[in-house]
Amino acid sequence: NGAEFDLKAGWEVPSWYSQQGGKLSTCSSTLTRRESCAWFEPVGRECEAVRERVGVIDLSSYGVILVKGKDAKGQLDRLFANALPQVGEGCVGHMLNHYGKIMSQAQVMRVKDNEFILVTDALSELASLRWIKENLDSSSDVLVENLSDKWSCIGVAGPRSGQLLSSVFS
C-alpha cells in the first residue's frame, strides 16, 4: 500500500493510501463525477473503516500549546467562548477576537485544575499562541509554551477506538 503525499503547513503528510500504488490525479473543479479521481475509492475505504471500525491519523503537523499556572483557568475562560472542560476531559473551544468573532479553534484538554493542553490546526498555531500571550493579564501567573516541536499527536476515531487504545495502553 503506497501513500500519496502532500504538503500541509510545511509538513509532508500522507493524503491517502492507494492499494494499487496509483498516483494522485488532478481533478478539475468543474468535474462533477469525483468517482473518476484516483483518490475517490481509497478515501472512501478509509472513511468506511473509520465509520465501521477504527482509524488512526498522524496529526503531528498540528500545534500543541501548554497553558498552566495559578491563573490559567481564569485567563483561558476570558479567551474562549465556551466552558472549559473538567480535569481529565477535553472539548472543542473557540477563541474570540475583540469583536466577538471566532479567530481560532482548538481542542482543549484539561490535564490538572490549572493546566491545559491546546491542540490547534497547523496553520493557526502561531497566531493562536501569539493571541493567547498578547491577551493575558500582565499580572497573571500563567506559563504559555509551544510544545509543537516536542510532542506528536495521533488521532484515533471510530466505534472500536476504545478497544484499540485499551489494547495499546493496558
Side-chain angles (χ1 to χ4, degrees):
N1 295 342
E4 298 295 334
F5 287 88
D6 198 2
L7 287 176
K8 292 183 183 164
W11 289 75
E12 187 177 33
V13 295
S15 294
W16 56 277
Y17 294 87
S18 171
Q19 289 183 325
Q20 293 80 27
K23 295 295 177 197
L24 186 62
S25 67
T26 303
C27 294
S28 166
S29 61
T30 59
L31 184 64
T32 57
R33 294 185 52 84
R34 296 284 186 212
E35 295 86 356
S36 62
C37 296
W39 52 260
F40 187 82
E41 285 186 32
V43 170
R45 283 191 300 272
E46 290 177 27
C47 292
E48 184 179 308
V50 173
R51 189 174 54 246
E52 295 176 3
R53 297 176 299 282
V54 64
V56 178
I57 184 169
D58 177 7
L59 300 172
S60 296
S61 62
Y62 281 49
V64 181
I65 301 168
L66 171 68
V67 181
K68 70 178 186 177
K70 185 179 66 149
D71 301 322
K73 179 189 179 301
Q75 293 298 302
L76 289 178
D77 262 338
R78 287 188 324 98
L79 298 177
F80 281 88
N82 50 305
L84 296 173
Q86 299 298 315
V87 174
E89 295 182 356
C91 71
V92 173
H94 297 95
M95 282 189 279
L96 304 181
N97 65 19
H98 295 300
Y99 302 104
K101 293 186 178 186
I102 296 172
M103 59 84 46
S104 184
Q105 175 177 294
Q107 179 69 32
V108 181
M109 287 153 295
R110 193 168 188 177
V111 181
K112 297 178 184 171
D113 191 45
N114 279 302
E115 184 173 335
F116 299 83
I117 300 290
L118 312 178
V119 179
T120 69
D121 65 88
L123 295 175
S124 69
E125 169 195 347
L126 297 178
S128 296
L129 186 65
R130 184 179 67 243
W131 181 256
I132 293 168
K133 287 182 175 182
E134 289 177 353
N135 288 281
L136 293 175
D137 285 339
S138 59
S139 63
S140 64
D141 177 11
V142 178
L143 168 73
V144 179
E145 182 181 355
N146 188 347
L147 300 177
S148 303
D149 291 340
K150 299 174 185 169
W151 284 35
S152 292
C153 185
I154 296 176
V156 181
R160 296 189 190 164
S161 57
Q163 288 174 286
L164 174 64
L165 291 171
S166 292
S167 71
V168 172
F169 296 107
S170 60

